[in-house]
Amino acid sequence: MQRLLLGTVLAIAIGSMTGHAAAQPTLEAGFGGPNDYGAQCLSPNDDGSSRLIDLTPAFPSGLNFFGTRYSNVYVNTNGNLTFGSGLGTYTPEAFPIADQPMIAPYWADVDIRGTACSGVGGDLWSTCMLAPGANNGIYWALEPRRMVVTWDHVGYYGCNDDLQMTFQLILTAADSGCGGAGDFDVEFRYTQCGWNTGEASGGTGGFPTMTGDTCTSDATCDPFPFPGFPSEYRCEGGQCWDGIPGQAGFDAGNRTDYVEIAGSRTNEIHTILCETSNVGETGVWRFQIRSGAIICPGAGDTCPTGMPGVCADGRTRCVADHTECRPLVDSTTETCDGLDNDCDGTVDDGMICPGASECVMGTCVATCFEGACPTGLVCETSTNRCVEDGCIDVVCGPGERCTHGVCGGACAGIVCPFGLSCEAGRCVDLCAGASCDDCNACDPASGSCLPRCAPGTCAPGETCAPDGTCIEDTCAGVTCATATHCVGGACVDDCDGALCPTGQECRRGECAAIGIDAGPPRPDAGAVDSGTVGADAGIDGGGGGFDADVDACFGFACMPSGAARRSCACTVPGAAGREAPPVAGMFLVLGLAFFASRRRR
């Protein structure tokens, strides 16, 4: 079964926990009818539905729900609103299900016949005939840009009224300045949560019943389910339970896209809905639906991933049926930079430096070659090692490294290109993967969704740009090419002023590795031999001014003669007496033959 993809959305985890004593929200009212929740209602019934309700008086463009535009809806007794047809199913099926798009503030076995246990069917009454103050009412009201459906003091099957649920579903058209045609907001409000399972769903007294058997899975509680009927036995907390509690969320009806409030179909769902929230208001749950997709509230919040190394810091992202803390920086191959790049718990491990150099305090350190070092490094005479330019003779404290002359953590001394931020020693786009609705824009400095500006809301000297951000007045109407941005009315390179992490340089607005993995070739020190075995003998190997010995080996110095020299396994074309050893040549020929064979295949 395919579950929701990132950005297609998305189920909501519990956003904030509150205590039992927190005040419950009030329900929207003022719509007329016997209890002021609307002049239309369902007659006393069990498993009934309203007639088809026309949405266009409230939403002229209909509702865009998971990519399909709906102009009609059904209100169902069992705590949900459906678009395709009325729904009488009383035991909630686990999302996602097929062919039944729905919004379900509380899909459970609601029974509104009362203790008299008599009803007149599930059809709507054109004029609601319930008595004022009566329990077991299901009302709805439409007004321009809004629909409100209320389940008021409803009982559970069969004809039980000792425990009650009171909740409300509010649909509101998105603000014209933020949303497109068909975009809307959804709000669930819960003020009374007394039960979660009807008797026909396996419950007793409004709740599931413990069977007394221990379990490791649902299958161990019901090893022989009746074909064609969903099992009512579940495994929860290592115990078998008889009964399927209620479910809350959204379903596209395509067996792929859905949203489920965490805790649905568990013994605690009723208290979760009444006592927690995804927006910090007890008993209130809000969602935004834009272009058919449900925007996950709270996305972009900082969070710990529990992983080591550069993967430790994260932000919340919405995936499948829950929110997850995803690393801001993904693991990569380990490099010498004082960081745990592959997130295995060890810093700078493995063979990560070229040639005979070693990783010391986050830098591949090699001995100076005739007093010279690769570009960007200088020879530290006190140690005869090549160090980063600006870090010569700089001594950092424990756990620190020197970057651009600054001692500190992973981001010390790093200035990222425009629009990027330093996280765990890397320049990254914090807005990559962020899900902001049409009323918010992603702040590149924090990766959080912030309200878009409006005309007149920006600081003096700034104006509100079409993307919802404040820009300089002089940059209004200025269009810059890729990898450039506007400053003072002129387009400047995103790399201006950037100081990338060690081993990287700024190109096209991003920090990218310099040259090949082994680093740039070392410069030739001249035609005078330094007296060191294997050093320059006064012959340029054709490397454009680079030392002949190093040009061919990229840091591995060839020995002048004998077996030690052959161990280098390199050659310098055009230099007399510097042939590749036979073994190396054989492997080279075999490698070329294998490559040619692969190409033919």
Side-chain angles (χ1 to χ4, degrees):
M1 180 186 301
Q2 181 182 359
R3 301 179 78 122
L4 268 177
L5 299 177
L6 179 66
T8 310
V9 189
L10 311 165
I12 309 303
I14 301 173
S16 60
M17 303 297 293
T18 56
H20 289 258
Q24 296 303 127
T26 58
L27 299 183
E28 294 287 332
F31 307 113
N35 283 339
D36 215 19
Y37 295 131
Q40 293 183 314
C41 66
L42 287 178
S43 57
N45 76 88
D46 176 48
D47 303 332
S49 302
S50 71
R51 297 174 187 171
L52 188 66
I53 300 172
D54 181 11
L55 290 173
T56 56
F59 310 99
S61 299
L63 299 177
N64 184 0
F65 188 62
F66 287 108
T68 300
R69 194 73 62 87
Y70 296 99
S71 296
N72 302 284
V73 74
Y74 296 86
V75 172
N76 302 300
T77 299
N78 290 324
N80 53 63
L81 181 153
T82 51
F83 296 98
S85 62
L87 181 65
T89 304
Y90 49 86
T91 300
E93 301 177 34
F95 292 151
I97 59 177
D99 304 324
Q100 194 56 264
M102 71 166 68
I103 301 175
Y106 197 65
W107 183 10
D109 195 359
V110 176
D111 189 337
I112 59 172
R113 292 175 295 175
T115 55
C117 211
S118 61
V120 294
D123 205 359
L124 73 89
W125 278 332
S126 56
T127 301
C128 191
M129 300 172 62
L130 294 176
N135 292 338
N136 288 301
I138 301 177
Y139 311 85
W140 61 92
L142 281 85
E143 58 184 17
R145 302 175 55 80
R146 191 164 72 150
M147 179 180 187
V148 181
V149 186
T150 307
W151 285 259
D152 181 29
H153 293 81
V154 295
Y156 59 98
Y157 186 84
C159 300
N160 293 296
D161 198 30
D162 56 321
L163 302 173
Q164 299 167 348
M165 290 287 299
T166 300
F167 54 96
Q168 197 168 62
L169 165 63
I170 304 173
L171 307 180
T172 307
D175 292 338
S176 58
C178 301
D183 289 350
F184 62 107
D185 298 330
V186 179
E187 182 172 288
F188 299 159
R189 301 178 75 87
Y190 304 89
T191 64
Q192 184 182 27
C193 299
W195 61 269
N196 63 33
T197 308
E199 292 176 1
S201 300
T204 301
F207 301 98
T209 304
M210 185 184 296
T211 67
D213 298 323
T214 59
C215 59
T216 56
S217 66
D218 291 348
T220 59
C221 294
D222 190 9
F224 305 107
F226 195 80
F229 290 85
S231 174
E232 294 173 358
Y233 292 93
R234 300 173 298 109
C235 181
E236 184 176 335
Q239 297 289 327
C240 288
W241 297 82
D242 182 6
I244 304 296
Q247 178 172 237
F250 306 77
D251 197 316
N254 58 10
R255 287 204 178 279
T256 301
D257 302 327
Y258 67 101
V259 172
E260 181 183 85
I261 291 180
S264 290
R265 290 168 47 94
T266 72
N267 298 343
E268 302 301 322
I269 181 57
H270 61 303
T271 55
I272 288 173
L273 296 176
C274 255
E275 298 175 6
T276 65
S277 168
N278 69 341
V279 291
E281 299 179 34
T282 304
V284 177
W285 300 74
R286 296 193 183 104
F287 311 86
Q288 295 176 321
I289 301 182
R290 301 292 184 267
S291 300
I294 300 175
I295 302 299
C296 178
D301 293 340
T302 58
C303 58
T305 65
M307 301 172 66
V310 300
C311 303
D313 296 329
R315 291 189 186 278
T316 53
R317 293 288 184 266
C318 298
V319 293
D321 60 347
H322 58 286
T323 55
E324 285 186 355
C325 185
R326 292 290 186 86
L328 282 170
V329 177
D330 293 326
S331 63
T332 58
T333 303
E334 191 74 19
T335 60
C336 179
D337 56 4
L339 304 173
D340 177 13
N341 296 287
D342 56 7
C343 304
D344 66 351
T346 305
V347 175
D348 291 345
D349 56 322
M351 302 295 292
I352 53 178
C353 289
S357 60
E358 59 179 327
C359 186
V360 178
M361 295 183 62
T363 303
C364 286
V365 177
T367 56
C368 306
F369 190 75
E370 298 181 358
C373 292
T375 303
L377 301 180
V378 295
C379 185
E380 188 176 59
T381 56
S382 60
T383 62
N384 197 39
R385 288 176 171 175
C386 295
V387 300
E388 183 182 325
D389 191 5
C391 291
I392 189 167
D393 294 326
V394 174
V395 178
C396 296
E400 294 185 333
R401 62 188 184 127
C402 181
T403 305
H404 304 307
V406 178
C407 288
C411 289
I414 296 175
V415 179
C416 291
F418 177 81
L420 303 182
S421 300
C422 184
E423 291 288 342
R426 302 184 201 171
C427 292
V428 297
D429 181 3
L430 295 181
C431 288
S435 298
C436 299
D437 62 37
D438 293 337
C439 292
N440 293 276
C442 184
D443 175 25
S446 65
S448 300
C449 296
L450 301 178
R452 289 175 177 267
C453 61
T457 61
C458 294
E462 295 183 337
T463 187
C464 186
D467 65 355
T469 60
C470 294
I471 61 174
E472 301 175 30
D473 287 338
T474 55
C475 290
V478 177
T479 302
C480 294
T482 302
T484 65
H485 62 283
C486 180
V487 176
C491 293
V492 299
D493 197 306
D494 287 350
C495 289
D496 280 5
L499 294 174
C500 290
T502 302
Q504 296 184 354
E505 61 183 355
C506 191
R507 299 195 301 265
R508 297 181 294 279
E510 296 182 352
C511 288
I514 300 174
I516 60 176
D517 291 341
R522 302 185 184 188
D524 194 291
V528 180
D529 197 301
S530 63
T532 304
V533 174
D536 194 310
I539 301 174
D540 192 317
F546 292 91
D547 186 86
D549 298 321
V550 183
D551 281 347
C553 291
F554 296 106
F556 294 89
C558 291
M559 303 304 290
S561 62
R565 176 190 169 199
R566 287 197 295 271
S567 67
C568 175
C570 68
T571 182
V572 181
R578 297 189 180 187
E579 75 285 350
V583 175
M586 178 180 66
F587 279 114
L588 177 62
V589 172
L590 289 175
L592 291 174
F594 174 75
F595 177 74
S597 173
R598 298 271 296 187
R599 288 289 299 270
R600 285 195 296 271
R601 292 177 187 174

